[in-house]
Amino acid sequence: MVSVTKVAVIGLGTMGAGIVEVFAKGEFAVYAVDGTTELAERGRGFVTKSLDRAVSKGKLTEADRHATLDRITFTAELTDLVDADLVIEAVPERMEIKHSIFTALDDIVRPDAILASNTSSLSLTEIAAGTRHPERVVGMHFFNPAPVLKLVEVIRTVLVDESVADTVRELALQLGKKPVVVGDRAGFVANALLIPYLSRAIALYETGKVSRVDLDNAGRVGIGLPMGPLTLCDLVGLDVVHEVCKVMYDATKRPSDASPSLLRQLVLAGRLGRKTGQGFYDYSADAGVDEDAGTDAMTTSAAVVGEGELATQLVDAFAGAGVTVTAVDGPAAGTADLAGTPLVVVVGGGADGGFDTEGDEVDDWLATVTSTVDARTVVLTADEVSEFVLAGVLGEDIAILPLRLHQETKGGQVAEVGVILGTTPDQVAMVRATLAAAGFVPIAGPARPGVVVDALLFQHLNDAVAMVDAGYATPQDVDTAMTAGCGYPRGLFAILDELGADVVADGVVEQSVLDPSVVPSPLLLEHAARDLPFLS
Ligand code: CAA
């Protein structure tokens, strides 16, 4: 087994420069290679900037910064790599470029040197098969930003010498990374789960029914991920997301894996995200930020009908925002005069003073509440009442919108409103502004199963179960990949077990009724039926 002390990284874009930094900080001698002297110098600029940032944050000493840079040789000559023990290719995702580099390396490096690719989307087997020694070709897939994220996917092909994959795995551990060893399948583990989640968010944005800020808040605040999906697309690069979509779709033919039309358009337009200054967002210095409606649109009076913890939370939150709140308990709803109240929130609560939310009774008491308000009133229905409304029970003249309060995460607590046909933009603005003033992060999306947060989350979870069902990865591998590779605070299976397979399965089944491209994983349904967690 070759002992790795000299490493070369070819291609000094965002990923290549990050990988160079990781190895140089790990005290390896590194050749940092790009096609021209100018590109190699640009790469030096990326690495230096990142190290300078670490120094300014007090994470690296000035002396270590110098020592790290001294370990790196920036060059435009592949022929310099004669004594490299490991070469990692991180050039653009085009098979012909990869082939030409690996073919050239065959004539330059020692026969026992390891050749690795950081490809996110191309077939490692195809790259390996085009070389003279396919047994030494392996995937070593880092995640952006490489200096921060711990995951390294080590991709084995059917041609690889097991000792080569073992060496790369050991090396990843030595660098302080978390390796997951997987076979050569489109998207490997992390991208195969992350990219469909991102592309669903893009597709939803493209419908015009959800704003980009709401989509990002759904991921960051609602699910609790480090970034929202559109911001993450801009970080990863829209071209990369598009390429992975294409490869995934080629492999699966699942409609949900196809690259959304808007993504294709942005890539064709050269808006690739942060690296080009524009993607879903504009990163130029003079770009404005998305403003919410502000507090101007908020209501000054509201009513909360029903009792229990949620009712109390809402009453307190509205009052804290300066809204005059009328609290009405369940049995009094019929006699309360709510005419002229612009916003009424109806909460369930069953036996303890709210309403019984079974069957026809919901219909009856929603009718009672709506009979006491006038046509301009927006009625929000929370908890199980909102589920009932989402399932299709709607008042005729009154806007009855489902409201979902999600679990609080690091970013805050999402209050999500399902918008039904006929709701006016002013009504939506009033609801958003009032919820925001009350301390929630408002999200407005179509009043369909899952609205935005669960529509994204449940399908993401369903995909993870399908991957496990296909025998490609274990639930533990998936959770390592998503926490270490995408910064998720908890793995997908940890989230799934907490929510309960039955809740997620029901949600996915509901979504599948409206969208035939959503296919509930049989393994998810089995876990739901037997009430079995995935992680023991
Ligand atoms: N280089 C080095 N360090 C960086 C960095 C970079 N490019 N970007 C951020 N950091 C460091 C910061 O210095 C900071 O360090 P300290 O906490 O020690 O000060 C830390 O990371 C956190 O950064 P910030 O406080 O600026 O911002 P944040 O808390 O929002 O974290 C983030 C930024 C690390 C990018 C985080 O938001 C995150 O993990 N996002 C998810 C990213 C993700 O999913 N990546 C995978 C994409 S898929 C992929 O890459 C594979 C593929 O093939 C497409």
Side-chain angles (χ1 to χ4, degrees), residues 14-15 18 21 25 50-51 53-54 57 59 93 118-121 141-149 153 188 190-191 194-195 198 225-227 232 235-237 240-241 244 274 410 482-483 485-488:
T14 313
M15 288 309 294
E21 181 181 332
K25 278 188 181 156
S50 180
L51 294 176
R53 196 163 93 155
K57 287 191 151 193
K59 289 194 292 180
E93 297 283 74
N118 179 58
T119 183
S120 324
S121 57
H141 185 216
F142 290 80
F143 288 75
N144 186 5
V148 181
L149 293 171
E153 288 176 321
F188 315 128
N191 279 343
L194 180 72
I195 301 293
L198 298 179
L225 305 180
M227 292 180 149
L232 181 53
L235 173 79
V236 168
V240 176
V241 178
V244 182
R274 281 194 196 178
K410 218 172 102 187
M482 302 318 283
T483 52
C486 305
Y488 285 22

Side-chain angles (χ1 to χ4, degrees), residues 180-495:
V180 170
V181 182
V182 288
D184 184 18
R185 206 180 94 150
F188 315 128
V189 177
N191 279 343
L193 296 175
L194 180 72
I195 301 293
Y197 154 75
L198 298 179
S199 74
R200 283 184 197 116
I202 298 169
L204 205 44
Y205 178 52
E206 193 172 7
T207 64
K209 295 185 170 75
V210 190
S211 73
R212 57 187 180 177
V213 170
D214 280 7
L215 275 160
D216 275 347
N217 281 335
R220 189 179 60 79
V221 187
I223 308 179
L225 305 180
M227 292 180 149
L230 301 182
T231 304
L232 181 53
C233 286
D234 280 354
L235 173 79
V236 168
L238 270 50
D239 51 340
V240 176
V241 178
H242 177 59
E243 284 306 319
V244 182
C245 282
K246 282 203 304 198
V247 171
M248 296 275 306
Y249 182 70
D250 261 6
T252 66
K253 298 289 184 287
R254 285 195 316 182
S256 59
D257 288 339
S259 185
S261 147
L262 176 62
L263 179 61
R264 284 199 301 271
Q265 293 167 44
L266 289 169
V267 171
L268 286 172
R271 294 191 172 176
L272 307 183
R274 281 194 196 178
K275 61 188 167 191
T276 58
Q278 231 174 329
F280 289 105
Y281 294 90
D282 187 344
Y283 297 88
S284 57
D286 56 350
V289 286
D290 290 27
E291 295 285 352
D292 216 324
T295 51
D296 288 357
M298 71 181 271
T299 178
T300 51
S301 65
V304 175
V305 181
E307 285 188 352
E309 237 176 76
L310 180 57
T312 311
Q313 182 191 359
L314 289 168
V315 168
D316 292 349
F318 288 146
V323 176
T324 307
V325 198
T326 311
V328 183
D329 70 9
T335 54
D337 181 11
L338 301 175
T341 308
L343 182 65
V344 176
V345 187
V346 182
V347 180
D352 60 341
F355 296 94
D356 187 346
T357 51
E358 291 299 312
D360 289 346
E361 286 190 33
V362 178
D363 215 3
D364 286 348
W365 62 253
L366 260 181
T368 308
V369 172
T370 52
S371 69
T372 70
V373 300
D374 60 46
R376 286 159 306 158
T377 303
V378 177
V379 178
L380 296 181
T381 53
D383 58 37
E384 59 267 63
V385 188
S386 77
E387 301 313 309
F388 196 86
V389 169
L390 270 176
V393 178
L394 305 171
E396 305 82 50
D397 302 325
I398 312 289
I400 303 183
L401 313 184
L403 166 73
R404 290 177 153 192
L405 292 189
H406 287 268
Q407 240 180 37
E408 190 159 356
T409 66
K410 218 172 102 187
Q413 185 175 18
V414 162
E416 188 175 37
V417 177
V419 178
I420 60 166
L421 287 180
T423 319
T424 67
D426 285 351
Q427 288 176 319
V428 176
M430 181 271 284
V431 171
R432 292 183 66 98
T434 310
L435 290 170
F440 298 105
V441 176
I443 291 179
R448 293 180 188 166
V451 197
V452 184
V453 177
D454 288 349
L456 290 174
L457 175 63
F458 287 4
Q459 290 190 50
H460 200 20
L461 298 172
N462 185 52
D463 287 348
V465 179
M467 177 181 278
V468 168
D469 202 18
Y472 182 63
T474 63
Q476 288 77 9
D477 285 343
V478 167
D479 279 9
T480 302
M482 302 318 283
T483 52
C486 305
Y488 285 22
R490 287 183 305 156
L492 291 174
F493 284 96
I495 297 175

